[in-house]
Amino acid sequence: MISFENDYNHGAHEKILQRLIETNGHAYSGYGDDEICESAKKKIRRECGCPEAEIFFCVGGTATNQLVIDTVLKDYQGVIAAATGHISTHEAGAIEYSGHKVIELPGADGKLSAIDLEKYMADFYDDGNHEHMVYPGMVYVTYPTEYGTLYTKKELEDIAGICHKYDMTLYLDGARLGYGLMSPEADMTLEDIARITDVFYIGGNKTGALFGEAIVFKAGAPDHYVHLLKKHGALLAKGWTAGLQFDVLFEDGLYYDISRHADIMADCLKTLLKRKGYQLYLENPTNQVFVVLENRQIKELQKQVKISFWEKYDETHTVMRFVTSWATRQEELDMLESLL
Amino acid sequence: MISFENDYNHGAHEKILQRLIETNGHAYSGYGDDEICESAKKKIRRECGCPEAEIFFCVGGTATNQLVIDTVLKDYQGVIAAATGHISTHEAGAIEYSGHKVIELPGADGKLSAIDLEKYMADFYDDGNHEHMVYPGMVYVTYPTEYGTLYTKKELEDIAGICHKYDMTLYLDGARLGYGLMSPEADMTLEDIARITDVFYIGGNKTGALFGEAIVFKAGAPDHYVHLLKKHGALLAKGWTAGLQFDVLFEDGLYYDISRHADIMADCLKTLLKRKGYQLYLENPTNQVFVVLENRQIKELQKQVKISFWEKYDETHTVMRFVTSWATRQEELDMLESLL
Amino acid sequence: MISFENDYNHGAHEKILQRLIETNGHAYSGYGDDEICESAKKKIRRECGCPEAEIFFCVGGTATNQLVIDTVLKDYQGVIAAATGHISTHEAGAIEYSGHKVIELPGADGKLSAIDLEKYMADFYDDGNHEHMVYPGMVYVTYPTEYGTLYTKKELEDIAGICHKYDMTLYLDGARLGYGLMSPEADMTLEDIARITDVFYIGGNKTGALFGEAIVFKAGAPDHYVHLLKKHGALLAKGWTAGLQFDVLFEDGLYYDISRHADIMADCLKTLLKRKGYQLYLENPTNQVFVVLENRQIKELQKQVKISFWEKYDETHTVMRFVTSWATRQEELDMLESLL
Amino acid sequence: MISFENDYNHGAHEKILQRLIETNGHAYSGYGDDEICESAKKKIRRECGCPEAEIFFCVGGTATNQLVIDTVLKDYQGVIAAATGHISTHEAGAIEYSGHKVIELPGADGKLSAIDLEKYMADFYDDGNHEHMVYPGMVYVTYPTEYGTLYTKKELEDIAGICHKYDMTLYLDGARLGYGLMSPEADMTLEDIARITDVFYIGGNKTGALFGEAIVFKAGAPDHYVHLLKKHGALLAKGWTAGLQFDVLFEDGLYYDISRHADIMADCLKTLLKRKGYQLYLENPTNQVFVVLENRQIKELQKQVKISFWEKYDETHTVMRFVTSWATRQEELDMLESLL
């Protein structure tokens, strides 16, 4: 059985496990107040070019989104996202559970457009009844998007411009940030991301960590953030175990290297699929590959390959997702090829 | 100055004020546990043909929607509504504040279609990732809709059928229920509404009451509903003052008579506007009239007539809303005519 | 049957009903944006000596407490109250429902003591783990308290001093404010209350209004307060009907006169009870009278007099509450006397 | 520097790290739907004697408490806990954030008494106003308590009896469960805990795991629990990494062995402290040791030993907490001895 099910199906990069072993005999203070977290934060600040950034480590993506959105928004505000955004569809209503509306705009291939956003905002303030509507206080984007696509620097700057015009926070969900930054089509660095957005997170779960996401508040976090983490059930007792992973990932460019590997593997996968005559559902330059498959063939394939449902295509076909990751090996691609 | 601004711009029907005066010398127990509320409930139960219904009186529409939706939904559920539904747009995020997502479907002229609903539900359960999505647990419809349109009995029954198929509650927001039922185009009675839906409310605020909405749970309310009203800040200390208003409204058909009057006034208004060459934004058979006006003319008109913004039409025109109510007088129409 | 059940068992002062009738023919704009509300606010501002105060009208006390506390507190804060405070015990968890802890301090006869408060705050900040505890952000007091007792000006100023020292908001729940201010033992005026506290509400429900409480933010309300009212389900469509009642109550001292009447009636009641040999549960100078009665006698008495349960005293006795109000008449006292 | 700061200051038991390494090359399905979690659940079910139990793995204690309490309680219910309970004091208002009141009862040395509980419940239902109060729907106990004390089997059964009488769920927070069960004074096994309570969690964070708590619903969890975990931000993408740790801990009695070790170390520590003339704040039979120290000495000691603030004792003394854990070594005790 081989697996292209997702990019969180393997444990951790071996260097992370090794570091866990090395540090296992030491005692650290709890809740992220330790020297390892400090070291990781220092590296991330340098990488982002933000010496003033406040950084927090959280276990998973939904908890991170719920926390950041709820703690940054004011009571009268909601968050704008693409209708296909992770918070719009696949987080079980976690944002609404925290009391805030997700204002869904159409989007294309997972991306919000600055034009749609500008129109929405202009209409909002033109609307004579807007005091009875949810005030947009934040724009949520994913990089790469749920469809593996990427904003260009220009596109993201345009969105940021509208955010600033209307006094909204720009928040970037970087669950797969590495796979985006390392794509040959990417025209942004981590420093660009940090410069253009107000707050974002660097995903670890999908990029070599056992768990963990690093939230970066460029210009400082809301007050008492450790308390707020606790209140949301998101404060890690053994905080250093999360910090340690980012400390390793941002040493000698490991985060970038393993991300690049996944993108290369995905590229090989796309080539392979096309060569075999398969139809890609859409083109994208990162590590998720969406393929239109016959339902009958899916059943057959799934006996030997783990892939995941994306969406219904028509009565006899389904869009299935193949994902590569930092852990994908060439042999797995070879084996897949032999099965197709 | 005359006003077609909305249907809640006048106090109360004089019979209600009179009853308030008559009962003012008596002492009643608090929180709706009194003989006047009992009398009103009895009348409503009879009118709905639901001897088992549990009925609660609430002050306003948003509080009612927030309460009913939050208390009926389970923790993992959201409510489906038209994207133009009141809870989707004009309740300041009150539903999300209570922790539940409003799942917005497109709709046409304010109405959800059974076909769209069925498709959404089938797709939902076909989706391999639906355990990570908000479970639809309720369908919210308005009668009449925010655009003054009406579901036919067949349309509502079709929606109810889908609700039952997928184990969802059908909730009808009757903020303007009287104006719907009394429309010449309506093919439903209060008894039909009660039979087809699971829970609904009969609007008082917009139909002759000083305040108040009557929530009707056909087959019994969730446990400890008085407590839940209190927890939501929606329990009236002087509960009888709300019950009293429904007791008057459902005496000798007053609710129906004053609603019919508004619909007739609206009909006259539409005729008048068309005769004067104005373009209606859409046709509907109830008390809200949507007219496309030149922005310049709006400014002029608003010096003498209160009307309300509905939406931008184009750069030089706006859709404005004229509303008649139980309190609208023929003289006001005449005066409007002279101004157009 | 006579009733001393509570102070919200009668409709409204006749002058309020009369004003409702007088204004019934006019059309007003919705949501409190009208000339009557303006007039009422102007009177209240003058009465409070706070020309800058922002004022909002809400229907009931629990909704008001929930709204003010939730909108003033930050996410990491809770509210301190006496363990016997209304929000601690009798609001069905409405404060917690809005996400905030009620931090209960002991209190005596319904009153918080400045000494206890100072100790709690000093201990809180001395506690090495306080980042994991709820930050006290507000102190909630009632005037009069749930036991009918009154803070002296000195006591309230002391509490305010501690609030300022620890950067907390002082919020006064004035559900029965009139009955407090008019007590012969009161040493404060409305102007004092406004000066000493940060935000408070003037109760209408229990003092002659059909419904309504007036929230007074001395130094301005949180942003977008009309929106926040709506989001909490607390925004009145016919806002002027609440404003009107306060406009009447603050005309020619009506609010004070009818409050004083209730206190005098309560005084007569206490004298009467003592003369008849009954034991008061505690002494207080306002309109609630707590009496220790034999359980057997209670049953008998309740056949002709409505009174309310307060708390169990011992196996054979219960503390019952007799309440006078603006509507209490001397005849009712006479009748009670004849029954005791 | 040695550390007795807490029992979560070390990474993980080496067998856990070893298993992480062994499984690191395999791909597992996400969200706990994998064979490792199945294996761990099987072991826990057997250990608890509950073949029907539903088990979920969560990262940390506060998230677990918030999730279990919010998903088990009905909207009108709150949870009873000792005033010193973790949810009452040290979870940053996480329970209230989820909308439920923590009803605090006094307790002694961290323990609730069945007598106090029975009295509270009897008074609650005797109270004529209880419909306006928060309904107790659950009792929360910790084992061991925050003060390291233990309920006897009889005490816990008595509490359970009252829970059943009043239709409340008994929930046991087992953050330090192992240290409790292995205490020489414990008269309960895991099977007893499972039999007496309705739901509980087995702590991993403090007992040798890198992270993780195992929630055990004896008679089945609320519907759609994976969804509810996600909605609370508590669903682990790499669920098997939590399951794996419990799979190791419940192999060959490891969980018990390492817990027993900590209790023995604590016992040595207590003996050592007494021998040196120190005053224990209270006696308890588990791994937390509370000592009254002079403030001056604390400063000195903290240069070489990490210990944690517990509470102020008097102006010149503080209660400090020394904690042993599965990772405490005899050398550390020796070193401490030399420093005292």
Side-chain angles (χ1 to χ4, degrees):
Chain A
M1 195 77 172
I2 51 176
S3 170
F4 294 94
E5 198 177 11
N6 56 48
D7 35 19
Y8 43 92
N9 57 5
H10 276 82
H13 190 277
E14 56 183 11
K15 288 191 180 171
I16 286 176
L17 290 187
Q18 198 179 322
R19 188 69 58 87
L20 281 172
I21 291 166
E22 287 163 19
T23 56
N24 202 43
H26 292 71
Y28 297 97
S29 283
Y31 309 113
D33 183 19
D34 63 82
E35 55 274 32
I36 298 183
C37 285
E38 257 339 291
S39 168
K41 289 176 185 181
K42 212 167 148 184
K43 288 178 185 165
I44 291 173
R45 282 192 200 102
R46 196 176 49 215
E47 208 64 40
C48 295
C50 294
E52 306 300 326
E54 280 192 77
I55 294 164
F56 299 90
F57 302 107
C58 211
V59 171
T62 295
T64 299
N65 285 334
Q66 190 180 49
L67 175 75
V68 171
I69 294 170
D70 186 39
T71 55
V72 167
L73 288 183
K74 296 201 172 65
D75 284 357
Y76 52 88
Q77 296 177 328
V79 55
I80 291 178
T84 53
H86 206 250
I87 57 168
S88 307
T89 59
H90 286 124
E91 298 195 350
I95 307 308
E96 291 83 0
Y97 178 62
S98 81
H100 298 284
K101 185 181 183 74
V102 180
I103 302 163
E104 302 178 13
L105 297 191
D109 290 347
K111 290 161 66 179
L112 274 181
S113 99
I115 289 168
D116 289 352
L117 183 62
E118 169 72 61
K119 182 170 164 20
Y120 185 83
M121 293 310 301
D123 285 355
F124 179 85
Y125 283 105
D126 278 354
D127 190 323
N129 302 311
H130 74 260
E131 188 76 9
H132 289 201
M133 296 163 71
V134 174
Y135 279 78
M138 178 187 269
V139 171
Y140 166 92
V141 293
T142 45
Y143 185 87
T145 69
E146 295 73 13
Y147 287 85
T149 54
L150 294 175
Y151 290 90
T152 64
K153 193 192 290 189
K154 173 72 168 60
E155 287 171 339
L156 198 60
E157 284 173 341
D158 287 353
I159 288 173
I162 297 162
C163 287
H164 299 153
K165 177 173 171 189
Y166 291 104
D167 201 18
M168 298 188 290
T169 298
L170 178 54
Y171 169 47
L172 184 143
D173 175 336
R176 295 188 169 91
L177 189 54
Y179 302 135
L181 294 174
M182 289 302 103
S183 165
E185 293 195 14
D187 63 354
M188 285 193 277
T189 62
L190 197 50
E191 211 167 324
D192 292 320
I193 297 286
R195 180 179 49 79
I196 300 171
T197 68
D198 299 298
V199 51
F200 66 99
Y201 82 82
I202 304 170
N205 270 297
K206 299 185 165 85
T207 332
L210 203 57
F211 61 84
E213 326 282 8
I215 309 171
V216 182
F217 284 99
K218 189 169 62 180
D223 286 350
H224 296 297
Y225 218 70
V226 167
H227 176 99
L228 292 173
L229 277 154
K230 182 90 176 177
K231 177 173 175 173
H232 279 78
L235 183 63
L236 261 178
K238 302 187 180 181
W240 77 90
T241 61
L244 173 153
Q245 303 188 58
F246 284 92
D247 201 47
V248 172
L249 288 170
F250 281 94
E251 203 162 85
D252 303 328
L254 180 64
Y255 187 71
Y256 301 122
D257 293 343
I258 65 178
S259 296
R260 189 184 299 109
H261 167 78
D263 286 342
I264 292 169
M265 288 288 103
D267 212 49
C268 297
L269 176 56
K270 288 167 205 166
T271 307
L272 182 166
L273 288 162
K274 286 181 189 166
R275 196 167 62 228
K276 291 274 188 175
Y278 288 96
Q279 179 197 344
L280 296 193
Y281 179 58
L282 57 78
E283 293 283 347
N284 76 44
T286 59
N287 71 317
Q288 299 186 87
V289 183
F290 301 91
V291 193
V292 180
L293 292 178
E294 260 193 274
N295 294 345
R296 223 180 22 187
Q297 188 191 6
I298 293 169
K299 282 208 172 146
E300 200 56 36
L301 197 59
Q302 285 183 323
K303 288 176 187 163
Q304 294 179 283
V305 186
K306 281 189 179 176
I307 51 177
S308 62
F309 174 92
W310 190 252
E311 60 188 66
K312 198 175 155 176
Y313 186 76
D314 62 24
E315 288 313 307
T316 54
H317 294 77
T318 301
V319 181
M320 298 298 290
R321 189 183 64 159
F322 293 68
V323 190
T324 63
S325 81
W326 60 277
T328 303
R329 287 167 293 116
Q330 180 63 45
E331 304 91 274
E332 293 172 307
L333 287 184
D334 297 345
M335 205 178 303
L336 177 65
E337 181 156 24
S338 72
L339 293 168
L340 288 172
Chain B
M1 197 76 170
I2 50 175
S3 171
F4 295 94
E5 198 177 11
N6 57 47
D7 35 19
Y8 43 90
N9 58 4
H10 275 83
H13 190 277
E14 58 182 9
K15 288 190 179 171
I16 285 176
L17 290 187
Q18 196 179 324
R19 186 70 58 87
L20 280 172
I21 292 166
E22 287 164 19
T23 56
N24 202 43
H26 292 72
Y28 297 98
S29 284
Y31 308 113
D33 182 21
D34 64 82
E35 55 273 33
I36 298 183
C37 284
E38 259 338 292
S39 167
K41 289 177 185 182
K42 211 166 149 185
K43 286 177 186 164
I44 291 174
R45 282 192 199 102
R46 196 175 51 215
E47 208 63 40
C48 295
C50 295
E52 306 300 326
E54 279 192 77
I55 295 163
F56 299 90
F57 302 108
C58 211
V59 171
T62 295
T64 298
N65 286 334
Q66 190 180 48
L67 175 75
V68 170
I69 293 170
D70 185 39
T71 55
V72 167
L73 288 183
K74 297 201 172 66
D75 284 356
Y76 52 88
Q77 296 177 328
V79 55
I80 291 178
T84 52
H86 206 250
I87 57 168
S88 308
T89 58
H90 286 123
E91 298 195 351
I95 306 308
E96 290 84 0
Y97 178 62
S98 82
H100 298 283
K101 185 180 183 74
V102 180
I103 302 163
E104 301 180 12
L105 297 191
D109 291 349
K111 290 160 68 178
L112 274 181
S113 99
I115 289 168
D116 289 350
L117 183 61
E118 168 72 60
K119 181 169 164 19
Y120 185 84
M121 293 309 302
D123 286 354
F124 179 85
Y125 282 105
D126 278 353
D127 191 322
N129 302 311
H130 74 262
E131 188 75 8
H132 290 200
M133 298 163 69
V134 175
Y135 280 77
M138 178 187 267
V139 171
Y140 166 92
V141 294
T142 44
Y143 187 86
T145 70
E146 295 73 12
Y147 287 86
T149 54
L150 294 176
Y151 290 91
T152 64
K153 192 192 292 190
K154 172 72 168 58
E155 287 170 339
L156 198 62
E157 283 173 342
D158 286 352
I159 287 173
I162 297 162
C163 287
H164 298 151
K165 177 173 170 187
Y166 292 103
D167 201 18
M168 299 188 290
T169 299
L170 178 54
Y171 169 47
L172 184 143
D173 175 335
R176 295 189 170 95
L177 189 55
Y179 302 136
L181 294 173
M182 290 302 103
S183 164
E185 292 194 15
D187 63 353
M188 285 192 278
T189 63
L190 196 50
E191 211 167 325
D192 292 319
I193 296 288
R195 179 178 50 78
I196 300 171
T197 69
D198 298 300
V199 52
F200 66 99
Y201 82 82
I202 303 170
N205 270 297
K206 299 185 165 86
T207 332
L210 202 56
F211 62 84
E213 325 283 6
I215 309 171
V216 181
F217 284 99
K218 188 169 64 179
D223 285 350
H224 296 298
Y225 219 70
V226 167
H227 176 99
L228 292 173
L229 277 154
K230 182 89 178 177
K231 177 174 175 172
H232 279 79
L235 183 64
L236 263 177
K238 302 187 179 180
W240 77 89
T241 61
L244 171 154
Q245 301 187 60
F246 285 91
D247 201 49
V248 171
L249 287 169
F250 282 94
E251 202 163 85
D252 302 329
L254 179 64
Y255 187 71
Y256 301 121
D257 293 344
I258 65 177
S259 296
R260 188 184 299 110
H261 166 77
D263 285 341
I264 292 169
M265 288 289 102
D267 211 50
C268 296
L269 175 56
K270 289 167 204 168
T271 307
L272 181 166
L273 287 162
K274 286 180 190 170
R275 195 168 61 226
K276 289 275 188 174
Y278 289 95
Q279 178 198 346
L280 296 193
Y281 178 57
L282 58 77
E283 293 284 345
N284 76 43
T286 60
N287 72 316
Q288 298 186 86
V289 183
F290 301 92
V291 193
V292 180
L293 292 178
E294 261 194 272
N295 293 344
R296 222 181 23 189
Q297 188 190 6
I298 293 169
K299 282 211 173 142
E300 200 54 38
L301 195 59
Q302 284 183 324
K303 290 177 186 161
Q304 294 179 284
V305 186
K306 282 189 180 174
I307 50 178
S308 59
F309 173 91
W310 189 252
E311 61 189 63
K312 199 175 154 175
Y313 186 75
D314 61 25
E315 288 312 308
T316 52
H317 293 78
T318 300
V319 180
M320 298 298 290
R321 189 182 64 159
F322 292 69
V323 189
T324 64
S325 80
W326 61 276
T328 303
R329 285 165 296 114
Q330 180 63 45
E331 304 91 273
E332 294 173 305
L333 287 183
D334 297 344
M335 206 177 304
L336 177 65
E337 182 158 23
S338 73
L339 292 168
L340 287 172
Chain C
M1 196 77 170
I2 50 174
S3 171
F4 295 94
E5 197 177 12
N6 56 48
D7 35 19
Y8 42 91
N9 57 5
H10 276 83
H13 190 276
E14 58 182 8
K15 287 192 181 171
I16 285 176
L17 291 187
Q18 198 180 322
R19 187 71 56 88
L20 280 172
I21 291 165
E22 287 163 19
T23 56
N24 202 43
H26 292 71
Y28 297 97
S29 284
Y31 309 113
D33 182 20
D34 63 82
E35 55 273 33
I36 297 183
C37 284
E38 258 338 293
S39 166
K41 290 176 186 183
K42 211 166 147 184
K43 287 178 186 164
I44 291 173
R45 281 192 201 101
R46 196 176 48 215
E47 207 65 38
C48 296
C50 295
E52 307 299 326
E54 280 192 77
I55 294 163
F56 299 89
F57 302 107
C58 211
V59 171
T62 296
T64 298
N65 286 334
Q66 189 180 50
L67 175 75
V68 171
I69 293 170
D70 185 39
T71 57
V72 167
L73 288 184
K74 296 202 172 64
D75 284 357
Y76 51 88
Q77 296 176 328
V79 56
I80 291 178
T84 52
H86 207 249
I87 58 168
S88 307
T89 58
H90 287 123
E91 298 195 351
I95 306 309
E96 291 84 0
Y97 178 62
S98 80
H100 298 283
K101 185 179 183 75
V102 180
I103 302 162
E104 301 179 12
L105 297 191
D109 291 348
K111 290 161 65 177
L112 274 181
S113 99
I115 289 169
D116 290 350
L117 183 61
E118 169 72 59
K119 180 168 166 22
Y120 185 84
M121 292 310 301
D123 286 353
F124 179 85
Y125 283 106
D126 278 353
D127 191 324
N129 303 310
H130 74 260
E131 188 75 9
H132 290 201
M133 296 164 70
V134 174
Y135 279 78
M138 177 186 268
V139 171
Y140 166 93
V141 293
T142 45
Y143 187 86
T145 68
E146 296 72 12
Y147 287 85
T149 54
L150 293 176
Y151 290 91
T152 64
K153 192 192 293 190
K154 173 71 169 58
E155 288 170 338
L156 198 60
E157 283 173 341
D158 287 351
I159 288 174
I162 298 162
C163 288
H164 299 151
K165 175 173 173 190
Y166 291 104
D167 202 18
M168 299 188 290
T169 299
L170 178 55
Y171 169 47
L172 183 143
D173 174 335
R176 294 190 170 91
L177 189 55
Y179 302 136
L181 295 174
M182 290 302 103
S183 164
E185 293 195 14
D187 63 355
M188 285 193 277
T189 62
L190 197 49
E191 213 167 323
D192 292 320
I193 297 287
R195 179 177 51 78
I196 301 171
T197 68
D198 300 298
V199 51
F200 65 99
Y201 81 83
I202 304 170
N205 270 298
K206 299 186 165 85
T207 332
L210 203 55
F211 61 85
E213 325 284 7
I215 308 170
V216 182
F217 284 100
K218 188 169 65 179
D223 286 349
H224 296 298
Y225 219 71
V226 167
H227 176 100
L228 293 173
L229 277 154
K230 182 88 177 180
K231 177 173 175 173
H232 279 80
L235 184 63
L236 262 178
K238 302 187 179 181
W240 78 88
T241 61
L244 173 152
Q245 302 187 60
F246 284 91
D247 202 49
V248 171
L249 287 170
F250 282 93
E251 204 164 85
D252 303 328
L254 180 62
Y255 186 71
Y256 301 120
D257 293 342
I258 64 178
S259 296
R260 188 184 300 109
H261 167 77
D263 286 341
I264 293 170
M265 289 288 103
D267 212 49
C268 298
L269 176 56
K270 289 165 203 168
T271 307
L272 181 167
L273 287 161
K274 287 180 188 168
R275 196 167 60 228
K276 290 275 188 174
Y278 289 95
Q279 178 197 348
L280 296 194
Y281 178 58
L282 57 79
E283 292 283 346
N284 77 45
T286 59
N287 71 317
Q288 299 185 86
V289 184
F290 301 91
V291 193
V292 180
L293 292 178
E294 262 194 89
N295 294 345
R296 220 181 25 188
Q297 188 191 5
I298 293 169
K299 282 211 173 140
E300 199 56 36
L301 196 59
Q302 284 183 324
K303 289 177 186 162
Q304 294 179 284
V305 186
K306 281 188 180 177
I307 50 178
S308 59
F309 173 92
W310 190 252
E311 60 189 64
K312 199 173 153 175
Y313 186 75
D314 63 23
E315 288 313 307
T316 53
H317 294 78
T318 301
V319 181
M320 299 297 291
R321 190 182 63 161
F322 293 67
V323 190
T324 63
S325 81
W326 59 277
T328 302
R329 285 166 295 115
Q330 180 64 46
E331 303 92 275
E332 294 172 305
L333 287 183
D334 298 344
M335 206 177 304
L336 177 65
E337 181 156 23
S338 73
L339 292 167
L340 287 171
Chain D
M1 196 77 171
I2 50 175
S3 171
F4 294 93
E5 198 177 13
N6 56 48
D7 34 20
Y8 42 93
N9 57 4
H10 276 82
H13 191 276
E14 56 182 12
K15 288 191 180 172
I16 285 176
L17 290 187
Q18 197 179 323
R19 187 69 59 86
L20 281 172
I21 290 166
E22 287 163 19
T23 55
N24 202 42
H26 292 71
Y28 297 97
S29 284
Y31 308 113
D33 182 19
D34 63 81
E35 54 273 33
I36 297 183
C37 285
E38 259 336 293
S39 166
K41 289 177 186 181
K42 214 166 146 183
K43 287 177 186 164
I44 292 174
R45 282 191 200 102
R46 197 177 48 215
E47 208 64 40
C48 295
C50 295
E52 307 299 326
E54 280 193 76
I55 294 163
F56 299 89
F57 301 108
C58 211
V59 171
T62 296
T64 298
N65 285 334
Q66 190 180 49
L67 175 75
V68 170
I69 293 171
D70 186 38
T71 56
V72 167
L73 288 183
K74 296 202 173 65
D75 284 356
Y76 51 88
Q77 295 177 329
V79 55
I80 291 178
T84 53
H86 206 250
I87 58 168
S88 308
T89 58
H90 286 126
E91 298 196 349
I95 307 308
E96 291 84 0
Y97 178 62
S98 80
H100 298 284
K101 185 181 183 74
V102 180
I103 302 162
E104 301 178 13
L105 298 191
D109 291 348
K111 290 161 68 178
L112 274 181
S113 98
I115 289 168
D116 289 351
L117 183 62
E118 168 73 59
K119 181 171 165 21
Y120 186 83
M121 292 310 301
D123 286 354
F124 179 85
Y125 283 105
D126 277 354
D127 190 323
N129 302 312
H130 74 260
E131 188 76 8
H132 290 201
M133 297 164 70
V134 174
Y135 279 79
M138 179 186 267
V139 171
Y140 166 93
V141 293
T142 45
Y143 186 87
T145 69
E146 295 72 13
Y147 286 86
T149 53
L150 293 176
Y151 291 91
T152 63
K153 193 192 290 188
K154 172 71 168 58
E155 286 171 339
L156 198 60
E157 282 173 343
D158 286 353
I159 288 174
I162 298 162
C163 287
H164 298 153
K165 175 173 171 188
Y166 290 104
D167 202 18
M168 299 188 289
T169 298
L170 178 55
Y171 169 47
L172 183 144
D173 176 334
R176 295 190 169 91
L177 188 55
Y179 302 135
L181 295 174
M182 288 304 101
S183 164
E185 293 195 14
D187 63 354
M188 285 193 277
T189 62
L190 197 49
E191 211 167 326
D192 291 321
I193 297 287
R195 179 178 50 78
I196 300 172
T197 69
D198 298 299
V199 52
F200 66 100
Y201 82 82
I202 303 170
N205 271 297
K206 298 186 166 85
T207 332
L210 204 55
F211 62 84
E213 324 283 8
I215 309 171
V216 182
F217 284 101
K218 187 169 66 180
D223 287 349
H224 296 297
Y225 218 70
V226 168
H227 176 99
L228 292 173
L229 277 155
K230 182 90 177 178
K231 177 174 176 172
H232 279 79
L235 184 63
L236 262 178
K238 302 187 180 181
W240 77 89
T241 61
L244 173 153
Q245 303 187 59
F246 285 91
D247 201 47
V248 172
L249 288 170
F250 282 95
E251 205 162 84
D252 302 328
L254 179 64
Y255 187 71
Y256 301 121
D257 292 343
I258 64 177
S259 296
R260 188 183 300 110
H261 167 78
D263 285 342
I264 292 169
M265 289 288 103
D267 213 48
C268 296
L269 176 56
K270 288 167 205 168
T271 307
L272 181 166
L273 287 162
K274 287 181 190 168
R275 197 168 59 227
K276 290 273 186 178
Y278 288 95
Q279 177 196 349
L280 297 193
Y281 179 57
L282 56 80
E283 293 284 345
N284 76 44
T286 59
N287 70 317
Q288 299 186 86
V289 183
F290 302 90
V291 192
V292 180
L293 293 178
E294 260 194 273
N295 294 345
R296 221 180 23 185
Q297 188 191 5
I298 292 169
K299 282 211 173 140
E300 201 54 38
L301 196 59
Q302 284 183 324
K303 289 176 186 162
Q304 294 180 281
V305 186
K306 283 188 179 176
I307 51 177
S308 61
F309 173 92
W310 190 252
E311 60 189 64
K312 198 175 156 175
Y313 186 76
D314 61 24
E315 287 315 306
T316 54
H317 294 78
T318 301
V319 181
M320 297 299 289
R321 189 183 64 159
F322 292 68
V323 189
T324 63
S325 80
W326 59 278
T328 302
R329 286 167 295 116
Q330 179 65 45
E331 304 91 274
E332 294 172 306
L333 288 183
D334 296 345
M335 204 176 305
L336 178 65
E337 181 157 22
S338 72
L339 294 167
L340 288 172

